[in-house]
Amino acid sequence: MSILAKLEKTLEGLVEGVFRRGFKGSVQPVEIGRRLVREMEENRRVSISRTYVPNVYQVYLHPADKENLDALACTLCSELADHLQQAAKRGSYFFVSPPQITFLADENLQQGSIVIQSSFCEEEDAGTGPMVQGKNGLPVENGQGQEATTVFKRSREVLLIVAGPDKGKEWPIDQDVVTIGRGHDNTLVLSDMSVSRNHARLERLDGGAFRLVDLDSLNGTYYQKTRINQSTIKPGDQFRLGTTVVELRAR
């Protein structure tokens, strides 16, 4: 019996007990489990002496399906991460760091649909703030972002993507208002599917600080592990939009 078949049989037990009580969504946890294992096996990478599998999993659901899961998100993510580790052990696979699972809403999906994106991310590169499972389900805050220097006299800031699909992208802030989102009408355009078309706005304040404003985004804007409507940030601070982590830097 293949590793996937074995794990699917084990995962069937998840629909009993805690997941059956009060769960009425069209997406069942056992199906998410099957899809996660399949995603893991399809994206394994063979090294010289080991076979590595992705450790970051973003599970996209219709907003109504995600809402049905929210009350069980922490328990469910913990259980599914444990089963991924069991599956990896049976297949002699290795994670670069413990598996992280995030549930995200995508208004473009039909109800009942499940889309999973996986990636490799060492723990030091993980995002900031709590995600669905309490780790930015997603990715856990690393606190390793580079400190912005304070000796510069000129006020020239940049936005640096430190985690997410656009990692490494840098955008200079040459205006007083910067909009961020997937829509092409934004100042900073991101490709992250968990980011709304018009997700957030940065407004320059006196003294080198900025006001970060969430534009009623679907997956939220996080600063210092808290989902915010608006907050004041300064160079050296990081914030998260969906699964994308952005750092405000002065240079």
Side-chain angles (χ1 to χ4, degrees):
M1 182 181 294
S2 70
I3 181 175
L4 178 58
K6 291 179 180 178
L7 189 62
E8 285 183 349
K9 188 172 182 180
T10 302
L11 282 169
E12 288 174 358
L14 289 179
V15 297
E16 302 296 335
V18 65
F19 296 122
R20 181 172 292 279
R21 292 195 296 271
F23 188 81
K24 300 178 181 179
S26 60
V27 173
Q28 293 293 329
V30 67
E31 179 58 27
I32 296 175
R34 292 188 181 112
R35 297 286 294 276
L36 282 168
V37 175
R38 189 173 300 122
E39 176 74 13
M40 179 185 73
E41 292 200 316
E42 290 177 351
N43 291 278
R44 58 187 183 272
R45 298 289 184 271
V46 179
S47 183
I48 297 176
S49 59
R50 292 184 173 185
T51 298
Y52 292 97
V53 288
N55 63 304
V56 176
Y57 297 83
Q58 299 163 6
V59 181
Y60 294 91
L61 305 169
H62 183 276
D65 291 331
K66 179 181 178 296
E67 184 177 359
N68 287 330
L69 281 173
D70 281 346
L72 295 172
C74 290
T75 300
L76 179 57
C77 287
S78 176
E79 291 283 351
L80 291 175
D82 181 63
H83 280 282
L84 279 178
Q85 289 180 315
Q86 292 180 31
K89 184 176 181 179
R90 293 190 188 100
S92 298
Y93 303 147
F94 292 86
F95 294 107
V96 294
S97 66
Q100 304 168 351
I101 301 169
T102 309
F103 291 116
L104 297 165
D106 188 341
E107 55 198 359
N108 296 315
L109 291 178
Q110 294 183 350
Q111 194 161 2
S113 297
I114 302 172
V115 174
I116 298 177
Q117 293 182 355
S118 62
S119 60
F120 295 83
C121 182
E122 293 183 344
E123 190 168 4
E124 64 178 6
D125 292 326
T128 51
M131 291 181 125
V132 175
Q133 66 273 45
K135 94 209 67 340
N136 202 60
L138 197 224
V140 179
E141 181 180 8
N142 56 20
Q144 300 300 316
Q146 180 179 346
E147 294 272 342
T149 179
T150 58
V151 299
F152 291 112
K153 300 301 182 182
R154 59 194 175 111
S155 179
R156 175 82 186 273
E157 300 86 8
V158 298
L159 293 174
L160 176 65
I161 311 301
V162 298
D166 300 297
K167 182 178 178 180
K169 186 175 184 178
E170 185 175 295
W171 188 270
I173 303 177
D174 296 325
Q175 55 270 82
D176 291 335
V177 178
V178 174
T179 57
I180 309 173
R182 284 191 295 114
H184 293 290
D185 57 334
N186 290 286
T187 311
L188 175 56
V189 179
L190 301 174
S191 63
D192 189 347
M193 289 296 294
S194 68
V195 171
S196 296
R197 287 181 173 82
N198 299 102
H199 197 111
R201 180 176 68 243
L202 274 179
E203 304 169 351
R204 187 185 296 275
L205 303 174
D206 293 335
F210 286 80
R211 179 183 295 112
L212 175 63
V213 181
D214 180 76
L215 302 178
D216 295 322
S217 64
L218 194 62
N219 288 310
T221 298
Y222 288 84
Y223 173 60
Q224 294 185 343
K225 296 187 177 183
T226 301
R227 183 167 183 165
I228 56 100
N229 292 319
Q230 63 176 325
S231 184
T232 300
I233 66 173
K234 62 186 183 303
D237 287 342
Q238 294 185 355
F239 57 93
R240 179 168 62 79
L241 314 176
T243 63
T244 291
V245 180
V246 184
E247 182 173 334
L248 174 64
R249 289 188 177 183
R251 65 178 187 180

